[in-house]
Amino acid sequence: MAEIIQKDGTWTFDGDAVRIVPGRDKGVGLLRQTLGEVLVPLRALAGISYEPGRKAGRLRLRLRDGADPLLQVTGGRLPEASDPYRLTVEPDRGGVAEYFVDEVRNALLLDQVDPGPADSYLLPGPAVPITVGAGDGTAAFDGDRVSLEWNWTTEEAKRSGGAREFRVADLRSVEWAPSRGLESGWIRFGLTGAPVQSAPPKYDPCTVELFGFKKDPLMALVAAAVAVRMPHPAAPVSSPELTSEAGARPELEPKPTPAAAPAAALAPAAAPAEDHDALLRRLRELGELHQAGILTAEEFTTAKAAILGRF
């Protein structure tokens, strides 16, 4: 168990997931406060880093591309104060941050987590129902239907058409963009079978225009809640032929649990330091034996340390 508690928030790692709880400090953005607690499974992580600084350091989680619907729809455009995967670390807690980084990195190595892109969402996205009023309208989503209602700032051409409502099943896309300078942001919904909209956000009846105010980033939560219920953009195309033959392929059959062996026998005493593949296999075997209860926690820790020392 590793934990770091700061004004900015609290991060806890139990070996399987990083639990992120936002703090109450004034520097914590409204999006992070509204999103609340986030549980990031180990298999969704691509890496972690700590960046020390004179006044404050930064602890950052790097998620696999496509693992989180919020990062998918925002595309790296979230303001830093709204980023749930960044933690401000006070200078005197740098040692704790470095220990946290080591624990997560060792777990990623032990579990051989693939840092590459994910073809399905590994995080559940924001909770629903969710309603956000910002810009020229209010967007609400109950897990199945999206509704858009307009306010007094909405252009008459868009407001005259009345409120809009559509189901997730009818959506082709959902996009979010922040305002930049004099250019407005938006949350835009593309309907299946409808032409791609080229109208400015202020005239598009499937778009809420954002003016750059405090609540604008919250629309990204609506977009993420919708996106996680749509097909993943990198999902593989299913093949009936491969599905029917899968049961006959030996490489897809469950592998037997490794036989019991003393912890000392698993340590790579004669393995060369450069043979990383062999070391990774040993780490995997260790983890399986420990989870099966064959190795005690002490034996597992000792053997794991011996293997990690070879890298």
Side-chain angles (χ1 to χ4, degrees), residues 206-220:
C206 293
T207 300
V208 175
E209 183 183 24
L210 305 175
F211 304 138
F213 298 137
K214 183 179 180 180
K215 289 188 176 181
D216 282 11
L218 296 185
M219 281 295 185

Side-chain angles (χ1 to χ4, degrees), residues 24-150:
R24 300 180 180 272
D25 188 66
K26 63 181 181 180
V28 178
L30 183 59
L31 182 147
R32 290 171 60 194
Q33 296 174 8
T34 305
L35 180 61
E37 182 179 305
V38 178
L39 188 66
V40 185
L42 186 66
R43 62 195 180 99
L45 292 178
I48 183 172
S49 64
Y50 171 62
E51 305 159 4
R54 180 180 299 179
K55 293 185 178 180
R58 295 286 186 274
L59 193 59
R60 298 181 186 273
L61 280 182
R62 184 166 58 87
L63 273 62
R64 297 170 60 188
D65 290 342
D68 179 24
L70 178 60
L71 297 184
Q72 182 72 25
V73 298
T74 55
R77 295 167 294 180
L78 274 178
E80 185 147 310
S82 298
D83 186 354
Y85 306 116
R86 174 199 60 82
L87 182 70
T88 300
V89 179
E90 298 170 6
D92 62 345
R93 305 299 288 171
V96 178
E98 291 174 351
Y99 172 76
F100 194 96
V101 168
D102 288 342
E103 287 295 295
V104 174
R105 285 179 176 171
N106 286 342
L108 289 171
L109 181 64
L110 181 61
D111 281 23
Q112 299 182 44
V113 174
D114 180 6
D119 58 11
S120 64
Y121 291 120
L122 304 179
L123 277 79
V128 294
I130 182 172
T131 301
V132 175
D136 71 349
T138 296
F141 180 55
D142 63 5
D144 179 51
R145 294 181 181 273
V146 177
S147 62
L148 304 179
E149 295 185 357
W150 314 116

